[in-house]
C-alpha cells in the first residue's frame, strides 16, 4: 500500500491535466509520481509474471513494439505496453497509472515497453528485463544524441540488464560488436540475431541507414534472415524455412522492424512460439501513426510519411512509389538545424508541389539543390494543406504528405484528425 497515496495524487493530476487539455496524454502525472514515489516505476515494471521486454534503438522502436505486442497477444498473452509518447521516464509512469491498482500492481502477463535510448539507460539499473531488443544505431536527434558512440554506450547499459536474451540487429556494426561482448562477458546472456541477406542489402545501395553497417551478413542458420522485400511484402528465413510476410508499409526498413518483432517474440515465448501465429499477427497490424498511414480526406486517399532523422528521411524517400505525382513536404520547428537533413538525397522526388512548415524555405532550397522542382513555398501548414487538397486527383499514385513530427501534428490538427496516443515526441 506504500504507493497508494502517490497513485491517487497522480490520478488527480491526470484528471486536471486532461481537463486543461482535452484528449491530451500528459506526462505531468508521471513526473509528479516519480518525484514523490521514485520506486514506483521500477516496482511496477519488474512485477509482471512473465517479465519485462524492452525495445530500444535509434529508429524503428514504435513499429517494432506494435508488431511485437500483436504477436504476443496472438499467442494468448495479456500484454501491458506503452505508446511512443510514453517512452521516457515520466511518460512510462503516466502509462502505468492508467492501469495500476491502488496497491501499484498492473494487470497483465508480460510488459513490452518501447524505451528512449537516453531515458532507458538512466532507469536501466533499477530494471530486470527478461528480454532486450535493440533495433539499430543511427544519426538521430543531434541536440540529444549527437554521437553514435554515445548512443551505442546507452544501448549497452540497457542490454546489460537483460536476464535471458538480447535480440540484436546483426547488420548494425555497433550492435554486432555488442553481441559478441555479451556472449563472452563474465555473465554471458543468450544473443538472438536477425538481419538481411546480401541480396536485400544490395537492393538498397544507400544501405539501411545505420551509422556503421557490419561487413558480414548473417548466415541462415544463425538467426532470422530477411531474404526478399517487394513493396509491402517480404520473405523471412527461419530455421531453414522460408515464410511470406505482409508489412504495414513499403520498404526494407519495415521488413527489418518485422524481423525484430518476430525474433523478439521468439525470445520471449520460448517453446510456446509459433512462427505462423507470429507472422500472421505482424502482417495484420495497420501502419503505425504517420508511418505509411493512409487516411481518407473528403473521399480522397492521402498517404502520410513521417521522417524523424536523416536515415528515415532517406529510406522513406527511396521507398516511395516511383509514380508518386503529388507531394507536399512540411518540415517544422522540431528540426532545429535545417542542415540536419542535408545528407539526404531527395533527387528521386523529382517534383514537389508545396514546401511548407516553419522550415519551408530551408527544405525548398535543399530540394532545388537536388534538382527537384518546387512549385510553391507556403510556410503556413494550414494554407499549404488547403491548396494541396484542392489539387485535382493525381493521375498516378496517391497524394503524399512527407512531414517531420511538428509538421504531422499541425497537419492532423488542421484536418481535424484525432490525435493518436502513439504520436511521436
Amino acid at each position: 500500500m506504500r504507493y497508494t497515496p502517490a497513485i491517487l495524487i497522480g490520478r488527480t493530476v491526470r484528471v486536471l491535466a486532461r481537463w486543461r487539455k482535452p484528449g491530451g496524454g500528459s506526462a505531468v502525472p508521471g513526473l509528479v509520481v516519480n518525484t514523490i514515489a521514485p520506486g514506483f516505476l521500477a516496482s511496477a515494471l519488474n512485477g509482471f509474471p512473465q517479465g519485462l521486454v524492452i525495445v530500444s534503438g535509434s529508429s524503428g522502436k514504435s513499429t517494432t513494439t506494435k508488431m511485437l505486442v500483436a504477436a504476443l497477444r496472438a499467442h494468448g498473452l495479456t500484454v501491458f505496453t506503452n505508446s511512443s509518447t510514453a517512452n521516457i521516464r515520466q511518460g512510462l509512469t503516466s502509462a502505468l497509472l492508467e492501469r495500476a491498482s491502488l496497491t501499484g500492481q498492473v494487470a497483465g502477463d508480460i510488459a513490452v515497453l518501447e524505451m528512449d535510448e537516453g531515458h532507458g539507460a538512466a532507469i536501466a539499473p533499477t530494471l530486470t528485463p527478461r528480454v532486450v531488443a535493440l533495433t539499430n544505431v543511427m544519426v538521430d536527434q543531434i541536440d540529444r544524441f549527437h554521437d553514435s558512440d554515445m548512443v551505442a554506450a546507452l544501448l549497452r547499459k540497457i542490454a546489460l540488464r537483460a536476464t535471458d536474451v538480447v535480440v540484436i540487429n546483426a547488420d548494425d556494426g555497433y550492435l554486432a560488436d555488442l553481441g559478441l561482448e555479451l556472449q563472452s562477458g563474465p555473465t554471458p546472456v543468450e544473443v538472438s540475431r536477425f538481419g538481411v541477406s546480401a541480396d536485400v542489402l544490395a537492393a538498397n545501395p544507400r544501405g539501411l541507414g545505420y551509422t556503421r553497417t557490419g561487413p558480414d551478413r548473417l548466415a541462415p542458420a544463425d538467426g532470422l534472415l530477411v531474404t526478399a522485400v517487394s513493396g509491402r511484402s517480404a520473405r523471412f528465413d527461419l530455421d531453414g524455412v522460408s515464410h511470406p510476410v505482409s508489412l504495414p508499409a513499403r520498404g526494407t526498413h519495415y521488413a527489418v522492424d518485422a524481423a525484430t518483432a518476430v525474433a523478439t517474440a521468439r525470445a520471449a515465448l520460448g517453446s510456446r512460439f509459433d512462427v505462423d501465429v507470429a507472422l500472421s499477427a505482424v502482417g495484420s497490424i495497420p501502419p503505425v501513426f504517420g508511418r505509411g498511414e493512409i487516411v481518407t480526406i473528403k473521399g480522397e486517399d492521402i498517404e502520410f510519411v513521417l521522417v524523424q532523422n536523416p536515415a528515415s528521411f532517406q529510406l522513406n524517400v527511396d521507398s516511395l512509389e516511383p509514380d508518386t505525382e503529388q507531394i507536399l513536404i512540411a518540415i517544422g520547428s522540431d528540426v532545429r538545424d535545417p542542415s540536419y537533413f542535408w545528407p539526404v538525397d531527395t533527387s528521386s522526388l523529382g517534383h514537389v508541389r508545396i514546401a511548407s512548415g516553419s522550415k519551408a524555405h530551408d527544405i525548398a532550397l535543399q530540394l532545388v539543390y537536388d534538382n527537384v522542382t518546387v512549385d510553391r513555398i507556403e510556410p503556413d501548414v494550414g494554407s499549404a494543406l488547403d491548396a494541396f487538397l484542392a489539387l485535382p486527383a493525381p493521375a498516378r499514385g496517391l497524394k503524399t504528405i512527407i512531414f517531420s513530427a511538428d509538421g504531422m501534428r499541425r497537419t492532423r490538427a488542421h484536418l481535424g484528425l484525432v490525435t493518436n496516443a502513439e504520436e511521436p515526441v
Side-chain angles (χ1 to χ4, degrees):
M1 299 292 289
R2 60 178 172 153
Y3 295 124
T4 301
I7 292 169
L8 290 172
I9 293 170
R11 287 180 174 172
T12 301
V13 171
R14 184 184 65 197
V15 170
L16 293 174
R18 290 184 174 176
W19 172 76
R20 181 175 178 271
K21 183 183 178 183
S26 175
V28 173
L31 184 62
V32 171
V33 172
N34 287 339
T35 301
I36 61 179
F40 168 73
L41 178 61
S43 175
L45 292 181
N46 291 328
F48 289 87
Q50 296 186 38
L52 167 65
V53 179
I54 294 175
V55 179
S56 192
S58 296
S59 186
K61 298 185 292 291
S62 297
T63 300
T64 295
T65 300
K66 188 167 184 178
M67 289 175 170
L68 173 58
V69 168
L72 295 178
R73 286 175 175 165
H75 281 82
L77 296 186
T78 302
V79 183
F80 170 79
T81 191
N82 59 324
S83 68
S84 62
T85 46
N87 65 9
I88 62 177
R89 186 184 182 98
Q90 57 265 36
L92 290 168
T93 303
S94 291
L96 286 165
L97 285 173
E98 298 278 351
R99 297 267 296 273
S101 69
L102 290 178
T103 60
Q105 300 299 309
V106 181
D109 299 314
I110 191 170
V112 176
L113 299 181
E114 170 191 341
M115 282 196 182
D116 170 89
E117 307 92 293
H119 288 266
I123 65 174
T126 66
L127 303 178
T128 53
R130 277 186 53 228
V131 179
V132 170
L134 303 179
T135 59
N136 47 56
V137 176
M138 294 180 172
V139 175
D140 185 27
Q141 295 189 42
I142 55 176
D143 57 324
R144 293 182 65 215
F145 303 130
H146 52 82
D147 181 76
S148 295
D149 289 333
M150 177 183 74
V151 174
L154 294 172
L155 296 178
R156 179 180 180 274
K157 288 183 180 180
I158 301 172
L160 288 173
R161 299 300 300 169
T163 60
D164 288 9
V165 186
V166 177
V167 181
I168 67 162
N169 183 342
D171 296 324
D172 186 298
Y174 280 106
L175 300 184
D177 290 346
L178 176 59
L180 294 175
E181 177 192 345
L182 293 170
Q183 286 182 306
S184 60
T187 55
V189 297
E190 180 182 345
V191 174
S192 175
R193 294 173 171 83
F194 63 90
V196 303
S197 68
D199 288 343
V200 170
L201 188 62
N204 293 268
R206 300 183 203 271
L208 297 178
Y210 313 138
T211 300
R212 179 159 60 88
T213 300
D216 303 315
R217 305 280 66 76
L218 189 69
D222 294 331
L224 190 159
L225 197 62
V226 180
T227 57
V229 182
S230 178
R232 295 173 187 258
S233 299
R235 294 200 73 85
F236 290 177
D237 188 303
L238 185 63
D239 297 329
V241 180
S242 180
H243 303 271
V245 186
S246 296
L247 305 174
R250 293 182 306 274
T252 301
H253 49 308
Y254 287 106
V256 173
D257 292 344
T260 316
V262 173
T264 308
R266 190 186 199 192
L269 290 164
S271 61
R272 294 171 293 167
F273 175 75
D274 185 315
V275 63
D276 293 325
V277 171
L279 293 176
S280 176
V282 163
S284 68
I285 72 163
V288 177
F289 200 61
R291 300 157 174 88
E293 179 186 14
I294 296 175
V295 299
T296 302
I297 306 295
K298 297 180 180 179
E300 186 173 16
D301 287 342
I302 313 292
E303 182 169 5
F304 288 170
V305 178
L306 176 65
V307 296
Q308 299 195 85
N309 57 38
S312 74
F313 199 156
Q314 189 68 70
L315 289 166
N316 280 294
V317 164
D318 290 347
S319 65
L320 281 182
E321 294 289 355
D323 60 353
T324 302
E325 183 182 289
Q326 295 183 12
I327 298 171
L328 181 153
I329 295 184
I331 304 298
S333 59
D334 54 315
V335 182
R336 296 171 185 171
D337 181 351
S339 67
Y340 179 49
F341 281 148
W342 274 80
V344 179
D345 181 354
T346 62
S347 60
S348 63
L349 296 177
H351 183 195
V352 167
R353 295 303 182 95
I354 305 174
S356 186
S358 62
K359 301 297 191 295
H361 288 87
D362 301 282
I363 191 61
L365 179 63
Q366 177 177 347
L367 292 167
V368 170
Y369 269 115
D370 284 343
N371 295 315
V372 177
T373 301
V374 180
D375 290 352
R376 174 177 174 181
I377 300 174
E378 174 49 74
D380 182 75
V381 173
S383 299
L385 287 167
D386 290 342
F388 186 65
L389 295 175
L391 294 172
R396 303 181 308 279
L398 299 179
K399 286 185 177 179
T400 299
I401 301 176
I402 301 171
F403 39 36
S404 66
D406 177 69
M408 181 181 70
R409 283 190 284 269
R410 294 177 186 277
T411 294
R412 296 190 75 92
H414 184 76
L415 297 178
L417 300 173
V418 174
T419 298
N420 191 299
E422 292 169 349
E423 180 182 348
V425 291

